[in-house]
Amino acid sequence: MRWKETTYSGWGRAIKAHGEVARPEKVAALNAIMADAPAPAIGNRRSYGDTALNNGGQATDMTRLDRFLNFDFETGLLEAEAGATIGDILNTFGPKGWMPAVIPGTGFATLGGCIANDVHGKNHQIAGSFGQHVESILLVGAAGKPQRVSLKRNAPLFRATIGGLGQTGVILTARIRLAKCSGGTMAVQERRMADLDSFMDGFSESNAAYSVGWIDTTASGVNLGRGILEEANISTGEFSAPRKVRSIPFNAPGFLMSKPVIKLFNKLYMRRIPSDGRDRERPLNDFFFPLDRILNWNRLYGKHGFHQFQCVLPHDTARTKLTKLLEEISNSGLCSPLSVLKQLGAGRGGMMSFPMEGMTLAVDIANKRQAPALLARLNDIALSGKGRVYLAKDSSLDPAYLSGMNLELAHYRETVAKADPEAIFATSQSRRLNLRGDT
Amino acid sequence: MSNTWIILGATSAIARAFARQLAMRGDSLILAGRDLAELKLIAKDCSLRGALQAEAIGFDARKPASFAAIITAAEQNSGIINVGVFTGSMPEQAKIDADPSLIDGVIADNFIGPVRFLQTITPLLEERGGGCVIGIGSVAGDRGRIGNYVYGAAKAGFHTYLSGLRNRLTRSGGHVITVKPGFTDTAMTWGIKGMFLVASPENVAKDLINAVKKRRNVIYTPFFWRYIMLIIKNIPEFIFKKLSI
């Protein structure tokens, strides 16, 4: 197997890694790597920070091992290789009446990545997290031998792998339970929300299967927390293939993401929706992956890239802490056009999984000089509200905060240490955050 | 009418991407290659994506005895039979320089094996009529260069063979496409320095599907390699011999 020496990054492009990457195209090639020089697995690197990076070490790119291996049309149980993408699963099985039960915001996310980050979708309150729909995982650990883990077989290792950020080994294949897909379109209702209070009420009153909020982070004062609430249910239209993609060919200049430009953009974006709201039918691909039609949209943030901050706050602290977070962001001038507010349920699949019952806020923050200080303040606010920071997005958390996030950290560390005592699968992120608790 | 595609060298990245697109339109696939375990995974994947049927059969370009099983399997399918030849191997020229016996393998994988297979199955293609043969050649076959001229010579021979086969199959309504891919993002080019304008296997496969639809004769993929090679082919020999491109 040839290793490619390369510099690579996560989706945010603010943190880079340099090292060797192998990209096996055959199972035999992967087995050879795992026997000789096992290295942590990476996929399409849609996590934002350093989750899928191994600076100074090696990594195994799993994207070419992306086959569907079995599907039961009666039960919806799908077995696929780790490199298969969510978009591919949706577009292959959607027209036949089945879809991933949990769909993250990009179709480029791989099956392995969705498990390792225990991702959630716009239906978290109902469906829970991705890991809760995983029946079993074929995992190659440090010993090099594949083993099947599930809730019944080696539950600790299974639960340390779901949301486990790659530390237990390489996911070869997984069996996941798809959900019924009753139609090919979404009936989407969009309504303007005047401020944070009405936004939160809007979420708690919503009966839709899917809901998500776009929030205007440039708004302040009485408008603080205004945005658009999108509620949707699967409708009966024809399934349509994803539309042709366009690409951002080069890094955008810095002024594109400056405050006046974003302020203007957000204003227009808000006005898109009539004051009395609107209803429309949208293809599934457009609803679930609104940004996938623009390849490399991360280049809009310029060559220095951006960070994403996402936290979840329990309902009892959400209102006050979200206000604080939004004030910080609005005052910083580092606001982003792509900010998301969402309600989460309690469902989570692994020891380190992100979701908790409450409200989650996700914002992009351009990687400018003031960004680290802002991120530190945002992390502080989230943690002081007994919240959690999403490690799939994180690039800035203080390792000391991990223990305050109400995760099953001790059990995770013990399981990882047992599965991989020599830290073969350590990554840039696991070292930065001392995830394994070994330093 | 059902369409059967025999894919030789089906575990290669371009072949896999091509087979997937054929599967999605409901063709029958006979996936042939050396790594049978891998072929079975590809067959599974193609079936789930819509192939009418997908079968994995062992094939080794250096072992003509392995050809018969593939042809027998194809005979059992009714309708049009098509063949895609994706086999090939490219040891580094330096290795060949050190051990000229490697040349036998290069010629076998890139020329003798594929040609012998095609020659054996041609009567069946003629009998069924209307089928298509895709042969993966190479821009390296357009002109011998210091970096890979043994491989280039084998591909050039293959191009010439495909031209002759095209002449023959046309008479029975068949068709032959010679494909000359530029740099493609596969295991063969992964980590090699000096690659540029690298195309994804998916995009190369799309070009192949289009070429079949339009019954093209010789295609470069991506298309701009036609112009790059036009320039390279037209450099006078007295200059070319001093270049190392």
Side-chain angles (χ1 to χ4, degrees):
Chain A
M1 185 73 216
R2 212 181 291 123
W3 293 80
K4 176 177 176 176
E5 192 182 330
T6 182
T7 300
Y8 57 107
S9 64
W11 189 243
R13 304 202 308 157
I15 305 181
K16 298 206 163 26
H18 186 86
E20 289 184 324
V21 179
R23 190 187 60 191
E25 288 185 345
K26 299 178 185 179
V27 171
L30 178 74
N31 289 342
I33 292 168
M34 298 310 292
D36 283 5
I42 61 176
N44 274 325
R45 287 176 283 118
R46 258 26 191 212
S47 51
Y48 286 71
D50 50 5
T51 307
L53 308 183
N54 189 14
N55 190 31
Q58 295 182 316
T60 310
D61 179 324
M62 301 293 287
T63 54
R64 290 285 162 102
L65 298 171
D66 63 346
R67 274 79 53 102
F68 300 140
L69 303 177
N70 274 301
F71 184 66
D72 185 331
F73 284 93
E74 299 291 307
T75 63
L77 190 70
L78 172 70
E79 180 174 12
E81 289 180 313
T85 65
I86 290 299
D88 197 11
I89 296 173
L90 176 65
N91 286 304
T92 303
F93 298 101
K96 293 164 189 155
W98 293 93
M99 67 198 285
V102 169
I103 299 183
T106 170
F108 293 113
T110 60
L111 176 59
C114 287
I115 294 171
N117 291 286
D118 195 15
V119 300
H120 55 267
K122 298 173 175 122
N123 59 348
H124 185 264
Q125 286 160 283
I126 296 169
S129 70
F130 194 89
Q132 294 180 282
H133 303 273
V134 177
E135 178 100 2
S136 68
I137 297 168
L138 194 60
L139 184 74
V140 187
K145 240 184 84 185
Q147 57 173 324
R148 186 163 294 283
V149 295
S150 64
L151 276 180
K152 288 192 196 103
R153 232 188 289 180
N154 205 340
L157 191 55
F158 181 69
R159 294 190 63 249
T161 300
I162 292 173
L165 305 159
Q167 300 305 302
T168 56
V170 170
I171 298 169
L172 290 186
T173 66
R175 292 185 187 142
I176 61 170
R177 290 178 294 268
L178 301 190
K180 286 259 193 234
C181 176
S182 51
T185 53
M186 296 297 271
V188 185
Q189 184 189 58
E190 290 162 295
R191 280 183 294 148
R192 286 197 205 172
M193 297 287 128
D195 53 27
L196 188 62
D197 277 343
S198 39
F199 224 140
M200 294 187 49
D201 293 342
F203 271 115
S204 60
E205 288 156 15
S206 174
N207 294 318
Y210 297 84
S211 61
V212 62
W214 170 83
I215 191 162
D216 179 0
T217 50
T218 60
S220 53
V222 290
N223 293 325
L224 191 83
R226 74 173 175 195
I228 298 162
L229 175 64
E230 228 177 286
E231 296 165 88
N233 291 298
I234 296 180
S235 181
T236 51
E238 281 287 302
F239 193 96
S240 55
R243 286 194 274 169
K244 210 175 151 75
V245 295
R246 284 158 202 270
S247 179
I248 305 286
F250 45 75
N251 289 321
F255 67 80
L256 188 69
M257 289 296 169
S258 63
K259 191 164 181 177
V261 176
I262 294 173
K263 238 184 149 131
L264 181 70
F265 172 87
N266 282 4
K267 206 167 199 171
L268 295 172
Y269 195 82
M270 188 89 181
R271 291 216 184 128
R272 224 167 33 103
I273 309 299
S275 53
D276 56 346
R278 69 170 175 187
D279 295 309
R280 51 180 185 153
E281 288 272 318
R282 302 188 69 194
L284 293 186
N285 276 285
D286 289 8
F287 175 77
F288 286 114
F289 316 128
L291 289 168
D292 281 2
R293 285 177 53 222
I294 310 165
L295 280 185
N296 308 319
W297 64 259
N298 51 357
R299 289 183 181 160
L300 292 173
Y301 281 93
K303 65 176 176 189
H304 300 298
F306 65 105
H307 302 271
Q308 187 169 79
F309 167 80
Q310 182 169 359
C311 70
V312 57
L313 291 154
H315 285 300
D316 56 333
T317 66
R319 241 167 249 256
T320 52
K321 295 298 174 183
L322 280 174
T323 306
K324 274 216 157 112
L325 288 168
L326 289 168
E327 280 167 357
E328 279 288 353
I329 295 162
S330 168
N331 293 337
S332 72
L334 290 177
C335 41
S336 75
L338 305 167
S339 307
V340 171
L341 185 69
K342 215 160 31 188
Q343 189 166 355
L344 294 184
R348 55 204 293 274
M351 298 170 182
M352 298 291 281
S353 296
F354 167 69
M356 70 162 74
E357 200 160 9
M359 299 299 296
T360 178
L361 175 73
V363 288
D364 292 350
I365 292 163
N367 185 23
K368 294 186 181 163
R369 205 166 26 85
Q370 320 89 299
L374 173 64
L375 286 163
R377 289 199 298 278
L378 300 181
N379 287 332
D380 278 345
I381 297 168
L383 271 291
S384 71
K386 298 194 290 296
R388 262 184 213 138
V389 170
Y390 195 2
L391 298 179
K393 310 286 181 84
D394 170 60
S395 55
S396 65
L397 196 67
D398 185 324
Y401 283 11
L402 270 187
S403 52
M405 297 209 307
N406 194 18
L407 301 161
E408 296 160 62
L409 189 60
H411 198 188
Y412 170 75
R413 284 176 168 172
E414 181 196 321
T415 313
V416 168
K418 207 170 117 198
D420 179 21
E422 287 165 46
I424 289 167
F425 300 110
T427 56
S428 291
Q429 183 177 45
S430 76
R431 288 187 292 269
R432 177 174 60 83
L433 291 176
N434 190 23
L435 266 184
R436 292 163 168 261
D438 53 4
T439 55
Chain B
M1 175 106 65
S2 74
N3 233 334
T4 296
W5 275 89
I6 299 169
I7 311 278
L8 302 183
T11 61
S12 88
I14 298 176
R16 267 170 56 179
F18 182 60
R20 251 187 203 181
Q21 297 192 19
L22 295 174
M24 279 152 63
R25 60 181 211 190
D27 289 1
S28 291
L29 301 173
I30 295 172
L31 303 160
R34 276 180 304 173
D35 187 339
L36 200 58
E38 187 69 21
L39 288 168
K40 284 182 178 159
L41 300 182
I42 299 167
K44 268 287 191 188
D45 182 66
C46 286
S47 304
L48 290 171
R49 285 171 194 275
L52 192 61
Q53 46 176 307
E55 194 176 347
I57 301 184
F59 165 80
D60 188 334
R62 301 185 191 184
K63 292 181 188 145
S66 67
F67 299 177
I70 299 165
I71 293 169
T72 310
E75 274 173 333
Q76 279 161 17
N77 290 357
S78 62
I80 296 173
I81 292 168
N82 309 272
V83 187
V85 180
F86 296 82
T87 52
S89 64
M90 186 179 70
E92 286 167 43
Q93 184 68 39
K95 284 191 182 148
I96 295 177
D97 295 343
D99 178 8
S101 73
L102 288 176
I103 291 172
D104 297 15
V106 176
I107 307 292
D109 295 342
N110 295 294
F111 184 76
I112 300 173
V115 166
R116 191 157 162 185
F117 180 87
L118 288 172
Q119 205 63 14
T120 314
I121 201 167
T122 293
L124 179 60
L125 298 187
E126 286 172 326
E127 183 194 313
R128 299 282 176 94
C132 183
V133 172
I134 286 185
I136 301 293
S138 170
V139 294
D142 277 3
R143 196 158 191 184
R145 292 180 299 111
I146 189 162
N148 59 1
Y149 58 94
V150 170
Y151 171 76
K155 286 295 191 187
F158 190 45
H159 297 165
T160 305
Y161 170 79
L162 290 172
S163 163
L165 184 65
R166 178 178 304 119
N167 209 192
R168 174 173 169 183
L169 278 180
T170 300
R171 283 147 222 267
S172 55
H175 186 66
V176 177
I177 302 167
T178 307
V179 182
K180 299 181 185 177
F183 296 139
T184 311
D185 187 14
T186 66
M188 211 191 235
T189 57
W190 178 256
I192 290 184
K193 295 223 161 70
M195 292 287 143
F196 57 93
L197 300 170
V198 179
S200 73
E202 288 73 28
N203 283 340
V204 169
K206 268 182 209 158
D207 281 355
L208 299 189
I209 295 278
N210 272 332
V212 172
K213 227 180 271 171
K214 294 183 181 157
R215 293 176 87 83
R216 300 275 305 274
N217 297 311
V218 180
I219 67 159
Y220 288 80
T221 167
F223 70 95
F224 51 75
W225 280 93
R226 180 178 295 275
Y227 305 102
I228 295 175
M229 294 318 294
L230 188 68
I231 294 166
I232 289 177
K233 279 194 287 193
N234 281 294
I235 299 172
E237 195 67 26
F238 71 90
I239 298 174
F240 193 81
K241 70 183 179 187
K242 293 177 188 156
L243 300 179
S244 41
I245 48 175

